[in-house]
Amino acid sequence: MKAILSRIRFTELQLLVVPTIMTMVGLLTIYLASTRDLNWDWRDIWVSIAYTAAVFAISIWFTITGFKGDQVLFPIVVCISGLGLLMMQRLTPALAEIDESYATLARQQLIYLGAGLFLLLAVVTIVRRIGWLRRYKYTWAFGGIGLMMLTMIIGTERYGARLWIDVGPFTIQSSEISKIALVVFLAAYLAENQELIVSTYRLGPLRLPPIPYLLPLILMWGFSMLVVVAQNDLGTALLFFSVFLAMLYMASGRLSYVIAGLSAFGIGVYLAYNLFGRVQLRVANWLDPWRDPVDAGYQQIQGEYALATGKLFGTGLAQGHPAFIPAVHSDYIFAAIGEELGLFGTLAVLLLSVLLVFRGFSISLRARDSFGRFLAAGLTTILAVQTLIIVGGTVRLIPLTGITLPFISAGGSSLLTNFIIIGLLLRISDPDLAG
């Protein structure tokens, strides 16, 4: 009996109570606000009930299989993705009034959310050890780059960027898959060559970094960046660069690599600004969206109006006008949260993101081997940098780039890969089966 009780994940089960109640109350609020009627029954919030049943079933499955991984990470993700589910349910009718193609937005997001939870469960259950990922590091790297090159050839162009491959009724954003493949390669290579990377050799009076051992890393990263830039996907290019630099610093501990990387970044930004009109437009909107308030700057201005309208507590779910913001379901979901849940709502999102990143790096520090440590750190860096880029762009700290807010923005590829990331982090956190 004692052995059975010790396997139950009590902490995780308790932590799941609050986000699931939040999801049910939130959806009920959206329903009552939209119908202006206090009559309801449980069928009106079946989406939240199904979500609650799914996340508790996953936690119970973890207990049945004896999984001993982290018990805090999954509830944090459930809370963030539950908020994303609510926002899609709330935005769908408003967006559908403007464009009928958005009528299925909430349904699609719900399907992707269910598929994402299934992938998380599959990764934790099937990937018993992560060591095999390390053995195929070059396969992951070439596979990720090849997928992006394939997108350049047969991909679909939208909003000036060729990022998607249509597969029947589904659309795949290849860079979302490639970012995981690139981190697996970087983690495996850095784990195998960490001692060599921190070494130096003398050339006359100079002490130089071990360029031959850094060269494969730089070539792989450079080639992937080249493909991404050719696709006109500058947000993903910034994400790849940040993850590369962060992982290299974690492995080497050398500030000189960071300074060299930032210098190269500065040169890259200068070249991109002069070569791409899209970058010039984003920078111009960042500096002064009122320069063209009815066209180029319209999205930024509406986003800032939404944030200002929310004040401290927000207008309330389904009480605002977030549909005024173009692409509010993807690029500007943070502004929609700010309008309807206020400053405290946006701070809650940021706090949950910080907790998620903190937990990810905590798992990295507790990993049993260097590959697991670098892999967890790299995957966590993806989530952290992605959040910083999109939130920074929304509040105009940096120019806006087209990238999703993890677990909240609409986007099937992003949602699925983020759940795979959480599945890998949970697997690495298992003290018995991580190696």
Side-chain angles (χ1 to χ4, degrees):
M1 187 65 183
K2 187 177 179 181
I4 294 175
L5 289 175
S6 67
R7 294 179 59 175
I8 298 176
R9 299 166 64 84
F10 282 114
T11 302
E12 185 175 82
L13 286 169
Q14 291 176 61
L15 289 175
L16 284 174
V17 171
V18 172
T20 51
I21 290 177
M22 176 203 75
T23 308
M24 286 193 280
V25 172
L27 189 58
L28 180 59
T29 302
I30 293 169
Y31 174 79
L32 296 177
S34 58
T35 59
R36 309 283 181 186
D37 189 342
L38 292 178
N39 294 317
W40 66 280
D41 63 40
W42 292 103
R43 288 173 296 183
D44 299 321
I45 58 170
W46 72 269
V47 170
S48 294
I49 296 172
Y51 181 66
T52 300
V55 298
F56 273 103
I58 289 173
S59 181
I60 292 170
W61 175 256
F62 287 165
T63 294
I64 293 172
T65 56
F67 176 61
K68 298 179 181 176
D70 191 273
Q71 296 195 45
V72 178
L73 185 65
F74 184 54
I76 295 173
V77 172
V78 167
C79 193
I80 300 175
S81 57
L83 180 59
L85 176 67
L86 290 177
M87 292 310 297
M88 291 307 118
Q89 293 289 326
R90 182 269 172 270
L91 289 174
T92 295
L95 292 175
E97 290 181 2
I98 301 172
D99 186 341
E100 288 185 0
S101 64
Y102 288 112
T104 59
L105 177 65
R107 191 189 314 157
Q108 289 176 357
Q109 191 75 355
L110 183 62
I111 293 171
Y112 286 127
L113 183 57
L117 289 170
F118 177 78
L119 282 175
L120 181 151
L121 185 66
V123 169
V124 174
T125 305
I126 297 173
V127 182
R128 306 300 294 178
R129 297 184 183 277
I130 61 168
W132 67 276
L133 292 170
R134 181 178 186 168
R135 290 198 292 274
Y136 303 104
K137 58 180 180 297
Y138 287 106
T139 304
W140 293 111
F142 285 116
I145 293 172
L147 187 58
M148 287 192 290
M149 291 182 68
L150 183 66
T151 309
M152 290 174 60
I153 300 170
I154 65 170
T156 303
E157 184 171 328
R158 298 175 188 169
Y159 310 115
R162 188 183 292 271
L163 308 178
W164 297 270
I165 298 176
D166 291 327
V167 182
F170 302 101
T171 301
I172 299 172
Q173 188 171 351
S174 59
S175 59
E176 291 291 338
I177 301 172
S178 298
K179 69 185 182 185
I180 296 181
L182 185 65
V183 166
V184 172
F185 164 74
L186 289 172
Y189 189 86
L190 291 171
E192 288 179 8
N193 300 281
Q194 186 177 12
E195 292 184 2
L196 296 172
I197 288 172
V198 298
S199 64
T200 58
Y201 68 95
R202 281 191 174 278
L203 182 64
L206 302 175
R207 295 186 69 85
L208 298 176
I211 295 175
Y213 296 103
L214 290 174
L215 201 56
L217 274 180
I218 296 171
L219 285 177
M220 284 293 177
W221 166 76
F223 193 59
S224 62
M225 290 283 288
L226 187 64
V227 174
V228 168
V229 171
Q231 290 177 325
N232 208 5
D233 185 8
L234 300 177
T236 301
L238 178 58
L239 175 65
F240 280 15
F241 175 82
S242 303
V243 171
F244 169 77
L245 200 59
M247 292 186 70
L248 186 59
Y249 178 70
M250 290 173 201
S252 66
R254 293 201 164 184
L255 193 59
S256 58
Y257 289 169
V258 177
I259 295 172
L262 290 177
S263 301
F265 175 73
I267 296 172
V269 168
Y270 177 78
L271 292 175
Y273 180 78
N274 286 284
L275 291 175
F276 302 106
R278 190 181 180 192
V279 177
Q280 295 172 13
L281 181 62
R282 300 256 178 177
V283 172
N285 283 335
W286 171 51
L287 295 174
D288 183 15
W290 288 96
R291 180 183 54 87
D292 186 4
V294 296
D295 188 10
Y298 183 76
Q299 186 187 40
Q300 186 81 55
I301 291 170
Q302 291 301 319
E304 291 177 12
Y305 270 137
L307 287 169
T309 303
K311 298 182 181 176
L312 286 179
F313 300 101
T315 59
L317 280 170
Q319 299 296 315
H321 302 283
F324 289 170
I325 312 170
V328 65
H329 60 297
S330 53
D331 293 356
Y332 269 83
I333 193 72
F334 190 73
I337 294 171
E339 180 180 5
E340 300 208 331
L341 299 180
L343 175 64
F344 288 120
T346 56
L347 289 177
V349 171
L350 294 179
L351 178 61
L352 286 168
S353 299
V354 169
L355 288 174
L356 178 63
V357 171
F358 174 79
R359 209 63 194 177
F361 282 125
S362 174
I363 289 171
S364 171
L365 292 173
R366 287 185 278 121
R368 298 175 63 185
D369 58 30
S370 56
F371 174 64
R373 186 160 55 252
F374 291 138
L375 181 60
L379 295 173
T380 304
T381 303
I382 288 177
L383 300 174
V385 173
Q386 203 165 319
T387 303
L388 283 175
I389 290 175
I390 190 60
V391 172
T394 304
V395 300
R396 211 146 56 92
L397 284 176
I398 59 173
L400 181 72
T401 59
I403 207 165
T404 58
L405 184 59
F407 302 105
I408 297 180
S409 294
S413 300
S414 173
L415 201 55
L416 296 180
T417 51
N418 287 335
F419 273 109
I420 291 174
I421 287 174
I422 298 302
L424 288 171
L425 287 174
L426 285 172
R427 173 46 65 198
I428 295 169
S429 71
D430 189 335
D432 292 340
L433 304 171

